[in-house]
Amino acid sequence: MSGTEVTTAPHPLLLADGRPAAEAWSLDPALKHLNHGSFGAVPLVAQARQQELRAEMERSPVVWFPAQPQRIAETRSELAAFLGVSADDLALVPNASAGASVVFAGLERRRGGEIVVTDHGYGAVTMGAERLARRWGGRVRTARVPLDVDEEQAYEAVIAEIGEATDLVVLDHITSATARLMPVDRIGEAARQRGIPLLVDGAHAPGLLAAPLAGVSCDFWVGNLHKWGCAPRGTAALIARGPQRDSLYPLIDSWGAADPYPDRFDQQGTLDATAYLAAPTALDFIERTWGWQAARQYMDELADYAAHVIGTAFADLTGVGGTVDVGMPVPGMRLVRLPDGLGTSRVAADALRDRVAGELDVEAAFTSFDGIGYMRLSAHVYNTAADYEYFAESCVPVLGRWAREAREQHRTA
């Protein structure tokens, strides 16, 4: 993980037969796919495996559903090995937000009902924390963490909000809007010493970090396997350690409700669990084709190059530097600052995403932090340097024009 400017494009990854890596996916060739980090992309082999499983389920549902919990338990063991955790700590949930909701539903107020979050938190998870604080009769305290601060400064900013009334700390492992790491290991240790539970939102971590939970002391951790792991969508891991995990239950009660954690999560009626069962196929595909270590290195080098070419294009257009100093950079993800007038709020950033997809045929991520708009770059193995060069040459000038129009509209409003 460099986070430094790289001006040389990495050689694209190829399949074993020499074809471009993108041919292992069913992505629309008429679009440029520059936003793997939002919803992931499922390789064809994993899609095929899920369809096989669905066909098996539909052929004999009365056989399938009673046997499904055991198959999920076996899959949990495979996924736990990938994450480097015990299968006894891992429950499968549809996504990281669902895992956070499970935690919020299971915890009880023990002190003052305060929950500490940061201003980088994922909106849906923060809203869940706010709802829990209202139920507890407490409040949410927000740690302000400037984008460019280092590990020590980020740590101090969060610790400053923890007090005698704190009942829970919610912290991103990798922030969604700002593509930076948070010092979850140090804050986890500090929270443990104070007897305060820590929930880590690791939505982006599986696959992007080699061993996401190594050295991390936390009570609860959630991470999506359908992002960087390329599993079928609706596949995430909830890791729970310590005595409080016994209070965690699926959001849907079923016949497994009397089972211990995590077994009770394996049986939820007629839930279609084929995404869970096909997830190892996606992880194995990356490992067999390139190896996860090589894939991560390529994604990181490509993200550096992408930030250079797109950041330079914006800087040449506006006279303002496009590259962004992120205090704790993330492998495979980078930020580029947008021209003034674009992406000034989450709603505006989402609208820009939709407009770029509809008018420029590019799937890209745009985010907002402290009133500033950013393009969030998230590279995967199917991306190439040409994807980002195209955006710099063909799309940056259009975004520059849209920014000028937005500023003019604001002045005349």
Side-chain angles (χ1 to χ4, degrees):
M1 167 177 43
S2 63
T4 58
E5 188 170 283
V6 172
T7 59
T8 303
H11 294 293
L13 293 182
L14 302 175
L15 298 172
D17 58 7
R19 291 180 296 139
E23 293 192 16
W25 277 262
S26 56
L27 295 166
D28 186 348
L31 298 174
K32 297 291 183 184
H33 299 275
L34 308 185
N35 183 19
H36 184 89
S38 284
F39 303 106
V42 186
L44 289 166
V45 291
Q47 294 182 43
R49 177 56 180 157
Q50 186 177 20
Q51 290 302 325
E52 290 173 1
L53 291 164
R54 280 179 170 155
E56 182 182 347
M57 176 176 66
E58 297 303 337
R59 281 195 302 270
S60 52
V62 177
V63 173
W64 173 272
F65 283 102
Q68 184 171 264
Q70 180 59 38
R71 298 180 76 158
I72 293 175
E74 293 167 357
T75 299
R76 281 196 290 108
S77 295
E78 295 182 71
L79 300 178
F82 176 76
L83 293 173
V85 300
S86 168
D88 292 335
D89 295 337
L90 188 153
L92 288 171
V93 291
N95 51 53
S97 297
S101 297
V102 165
V103 174
F104 294 150
L107 292 184
E108 297 294 334
R109 172 175 170 163
R110 297 184 302 160
R111 295 160 32 134
E114 289 189 353
I115 302 173
V116 173
V117 302
T118 78
D119 54 349
H120 296 256
Y122 187 66
V125 173
T126 298
M127 285 189 284
E130 291 169 344
R131 185 171 63 253
L132 175 58
R134 289 193 298 270
R135 192 180 85 208
W136 280 347
R139 63 169 181 160
V140 167
R141 297 177 63 95
T142 302
R144 308 294 174 183
V145 182
L147 183 57
D148 61 349
V149 300
D150 61 16
E151 176 184 336
E152 180 64 27
Q153 293 168 302
Y155 169 81
E156 293 294 343
V158 176
I159 293 299
E161 298 299 328
I162 297 176
E164 293 298 320
T166 304
D167 267 316
L168 177 66
V169 177
V170 181
L171 187 66
D172 289 74
H173 204 151
I174 296 171
T175 62
S176 178
T178 51
R180 63 159 289 151
L181 289 165
M182 287 291 185
V184 294
D185 49 353
R186 295 185 60 193
I187 293 171
E189 180 60 25
R192 186 189 64 79
Q193 292 175 0
R194 293 164 170 80
I196 301 170
L198 170 65
L199 165 61
V200 175
D201 180 357
H204 288 272
L208 201 56
L209 302 181
L213 285 100
V216 176
S217 175
C218 63
D219 301 84
F220 314 104
W221 184 97
V222 292
N224 289 326
L225 290 156
H226 58 240
K227 287 183 182 283
W228 305 94
C230 295
R233 275 166 284 276
T235 307
L238 164 62
I239 312 298
R241 296 165 171 167
Q244 292 195 74
R245 74 181 188 172
D246 293 333
S247 67
L248 303 186
Y249 283 81
L251 299 177
I252 301 171
D253 284 327
S254 190
W255 289 104
D259 294 339
Y261 176 92
D263 298 352
R264 63 176 69 118
F265 285 77
D266 295 344
Q267 185 170 354
Q268 294 187 57
T270 53
L271 176 72
D272 182 350
T274 55
Y276 297 169
L277 302 180
T281 300
L283 301 175
D284 291 346
F285 167 71
I286 302 292
E287 179 60 38
R288 287 184 290 100
T289 308
W290 302 285
W292 272 102
Q293 182 176 351
R296 278 189 286 267
Q297 180 177 345
Y298 174 77
M299 290 187 284
D300 198 37
E301 292 175 354
L302 184 57
D304 275 333
Y305 178 74
H308 165 70
V309 296
I310 296 176
T312 298
F314 276 126
D316 290 344
L317 187 72
T318 66
V320 178
T323 56
V324 180
D325 180 15
V326 174
M328 297 177 67
V330 177
M333 297 175 72
R334 299 290 182 269
L335 288 185
V336 173
R337 180 166 177 166
L338 294 173
D340 291 344
L342 294 181
T344 54
S345 69
R346 182 189 65 82
V347 172
D350 287 350
L352 181 61
R353 173 202 62 200
D354 297 342
R355 187 178 184 185
V356 167
E359 298 184 28
L360 303 181
D361 294 329
V362 174
E363 293 187 331
F366 300 98
T367 66
S368 180
F369 184 71
D370 275 351
I372 298 173
Y374 298 96
M375 181 178 182
R376 190 194 70 189
L377 305 172
S378 54
H380 212 278
V381 295
Y382 55 79
N383 289 123
T384 67
D387 294 332
Y388 301 99
E389 292 164 352
Y390 172 85
F391 189 90
E393 295 167 5
S394 301
C395 301
V396 165
V398 178
L399 266 64
R401 174 168 56 82
W402 292 353
R404 290 192 298 273
E405 293 170 353
R407 294 194 299 270
E408 180 61 29
Q409 185 178 30
H410 179 74
R411 282 194 296 268
T412 58

